Amino acid sequence: ARQRWPALLAQCGLEDAHAIPGEAPRGRAGQQTLFVARAPRRSAAAAAPSAWTIVADTLGVADALAERLLARGDAVRVVRPTDMSAADGSRHLVYLAALDAADVRGAEALAAVQPLSWLASHARPGATGRVWLATAGAQPVADFESATARWQSPLWGVGRVFALEQPARWGGLVDLSPDESSGAMASE
């Protein structure tokens, strides 16, 4: 059974399938194995241009990301968090406004209320775009926790619920390094 999984994953079009742990352990631990595989990379030339809506932050991450997406030929619209007229479930959505949450009011508006409005546009029937949400330092790494972690972390709860309720629309939840420049954050 364990030996057949990599071949099955390859038949499904996935590459580089690996079992973790590599060798089957004995005892109860031998009953659990994690298989990791990746979809084949599409070349930039073969990929069709995508349409994106980026809900902007004030740090410049949205602008840096927009530059990268435009450079590869995608259509990009950068909007303020309150500009719900731009909500279009047919476009991919990157929500970066929570990067600005620095107090209770910011957490409520930028990491809870506004994201819910944007996510609702992608939960409608007929929506085809995927959603990515971003924070910076909201998740503790080793002994480091960002000063703004508690204000951005509500977005993780909102994102997890959306991921469970709308798996076909879910792109991901990314916690960027708070010590990086806006350009470096955009490349993450």
Side-chain angles (χ1 to χ4, degrees):
R2 178 186 161 107
Q3 296 79 10
R4 293 189 302 202
W5 275 101
L8 178 62
L9 292 170
Q11 287 176 350
C12 292
L14 299 172
E15 300 175 345
D16 292 334
H18 297 281
I20 300 172
E23 296 291 323
R26 300 201 186 280
R28 295 191 78 187
Q31 297 175 356
Q32 296 181 1
T33 301
L34 172 66
F35 289 93
V36 179
R38 65 180 173 90
R41 290 185 179 233
R42 296 184 322 190
S43 70
S50 296
W52 297 86
T53 298
I54 301 174
V55 182
D57 61 312
T58 59
L59 305 173
V61 179
D63 294 331
L65 178 59
E67 283 180 29
R68 288 178 177 270
L69 293 171
L70 287 168
R72 71 179 204 184
D74 291 348
V76 178
R77 191 181 329 166
V78 178
V79 299
R80 292 188 324 263
T82 56
D83 187 6
M84 290 305 300
S85 66
D88 179 358
S90 67
R91 301 171 68 92
H92 297 304
L93 173 68
V94 179
Y95 186 86
L96 298 171
L99 298 176
D100 296 332
D103 58 23
V104 172
R105 288 195 177 152
E108 181 181 3
L110 300 172
V113 175
Q114 288 299 324
L116 286 172
S117 297
W118 284 97
L119 293 173
S121 71
H122 280 71
R124 292 187 185 120
T128 57
R130 290 190 167 279
V131 175
W132 285 266
L133 307 175
T135 56
Q139 299 298 304
V141 177
D143 291 335
F144 176 78
E145 186 172 318
S146 168
T148 60
R150 63 184 170 182
W151 310 121
Q152 295 179 34
S153 61
L155 187 63
W156 280 71
V158 169
R160 287 178 178 150
V161 170
F162 185 81
L164 291 171
E165 293 182 0
Q166 300 291 327
R169 304 282 59 86
W170 185 239
L173 188 54
V174 180
D175 192 42
L176 305 169
S177 171
D179 299 329
E180 299 290 334
S181 67
S182 59
M185 283 187 191
S187 66
E188 285 186 45

